[in-house]
Amino acid sequence: MQWTLDFFPIPPCAELGAQPLSGLLWTLLVLFLWYCYRVGSDPPGTGRTHPGKLKSGSARSGRMLRSSISARGSNVAASGVNLSKAAASDRVTPCIVMETGEEEEEEDAEMGRHRGYLTPVLGHTLFPNQAPAASKKLYGALQEYAKRYSWVGMGRIHKGLREQARLSERSSIQKPHLFFLPDVPSIPFFPRDAHRHDIEVLEASYPIILAEFQAVYQRGVDAKLGWTCQSPKGQAVFPLYSAGVCVAANCRSCPHSYRTLLSLRTFISSNSLGSAGFWVLGPGATLGGCYGPTNARLRCHLGLQTPPQCELVVGGEPQCWSEGHCLLVDDSFLHTVSHNGTAEDGPRVIFSVDLWHPNVAAAERQALDYIFSPEQ
């Protein structure tokens, strides 16, 4: 079967005739079909590298097509043929953008500025000889963790262990006595948004947590009943978790409080930096001038019984508890607790839970769980 071009409204060409013009149109048609085949044959996920941008290979195909059309149009023009349709298609630029990669480079540079602490640490970096024995033991645990997993993400932990000795020697309003994680934003009191989910869970459970405390408190404050008493300071603690270890008997006495702890996203339950339980402070008692063990955590206080004359001062900033509401405290700052009420006011009672600092990365949390494991 022979195909003809009689159905095209083509004006007669005196110089070239119909045969050369037909060959030109067939060439353009073949190039167009070849281009459509190349674009449509790219597998999903490889045709585009960014929304709105084709791969450079497709862009090269578009440039080859345009160059072929331009060359063909130039030859026709040189022959004196005025082909209006070819000229119009040559003037229209196909919607193909050559990918430069500049935006991707800018994004990578921006992310790099915020994740410098996630870069690998050289395992042979010297540890200071004058470091205390406790820091050397922790550094040995970090080396064991890195051999088992990786040095990636250990930059701040490595730096904190090396500088712990100098931190303990200097006078500062923030001086955790066990471990300081560098480059962590620190303020005495954090806003609720830092741990909104966990705070809302605790506050929603306030009535049942209070009822469970009252049940164990009415049985008596006695070491045989699970209490840890600090009589000279007027403080008593009923722990559910103590230094990363679950106190099973106490958790059985407060099953809902225990289940609430397990539902929290950031509760420190696997290392010695984390504890949770009921803290009771009697009237006239004061706990003054102490630092928490680390700035890698925040201590959440859910107020259960809060007489008006009770006050918490952290880093020189005073705050008061409120029943049914939480305070997020960085207790690595110098802090004092006082109950200036009378015996009629009753004790101050809070449900204290240790949560991860929001700026501690997941890799660092895993490493700290290993380094400060209760078995270490």
Side-chain angles (χ1 to χ4, degrees), residues 40-282:
S41 63
D42 287 339
T46 59
R48 293 179 182 268
T49 58
H50 193 275
K53 296 182 181 180
L54 288 175
K55 289 182 65 176
S56 59
S58 300
R60 288 195 295 271
S61 301
R63 290 199 302 272
M64 291 174 61
L65 176 61
R66 291 198 298 271
S67 62
S68 300
I69 295 175
S70 301
R72 182 65 65 179
S74 301
N75 293 335
V76 174
S79 303
V81 178
N82 184 17
L83 189 58
S84 60
K85 293 184 178 181
S89 63
D90 190 31
R91 286 194 300 270
V92 177
T93 303
C95 297
I96 301 175
V97 181
M98 184 63 182
E99 187 173 333
T100 60
E102 294 179 357
E103 295 183 3
E104 287 78 1
E105 293 176 0
E106 293 177 358
E107 292 176 0
D108 291 342
E110 181 67 20
M111 291 178 65
R113 285 193 291 269
H114 296 287
R115 65 185 182 202
Y117 62 87
L118 293 178
T119 55
V121 178
L122 296 179
H124 60 268
T125 304
L126 296 179
F127 195 73
N129 293 327
Q130 67 275 17
S135 296
K136 291 182 178 179
K137 181 180 178 181
L138 294 175
Y139 182 69
L142 175 62
Q143 286 182 312
E144 294 177 4
Y145 174 84
K147 291 177 182 178
R148 180 174 298 185
Y149 300 100
S150 173
W151 280 105
V152 176
M154 301 299 105
R156 291 197 298 189
I157 297 178
H158 190 271
K159 180 181 178 182
L161 292 177
R162 286 188 286 112
E163 296 180 353
Q164 184 67 32
R166 285 181 290 177
L167 178 70
S168 59
E169 294 174 356
R170 66 187 179 92
S171 176
S172 174
I173 197 173
Q174 184 188 26
K175 190 168 59 176
H177 59 80
L178 185 59
F179 174 69
F180 179 77
L181 187 63
D183 306 322
V184 172
S186 296
I187 52 177
F189 295 96
F190 274 71
R192 294 170 55 89
D193 290 341
H195 284 303
R196 177 171 294 275
H197 172 269
D198 290 352
I199 285 178
E200 290 178 349
V201 170
L202 287 169
E203 291 179 349
S205 302
Y206 161 71
I208 187 64
I209 293 177
L210 175 60
E212 290 184 340
F213 162 75
Q214 291 173 340
V216 298
Y217 187 70
Q218 290 173 359
R219 295 203 307 252
V221 179
D222 192 333
K224 296 179 180 180
L225 298 176
W227 288 84
T228 301
C229 302
Q230 300 177 1
S231 299
K233 296 183 179 180
Q235 178 176 254
V237 181
F238 187 81
L240 302 185
Y241 275 80
S242 178
V245 178
C246 177
V247 184
N250 291 359
C251 290
R252 284 193 293 268
S253 299
C254 304
H256 185 86
S257 301
Y258 171 68
R259 287 194 295 269
T260 301
L261 290 176
L262 298 184
S263 68
L264 302 181
R265 295 176 179 175
T266 58
F267 172 48
I268 304 177
S269 60
S270 301
N271 69 62
S272 59
L273 302 178
S275 299
F278 300 101
W279 293 64
V280 180
L281 187 67

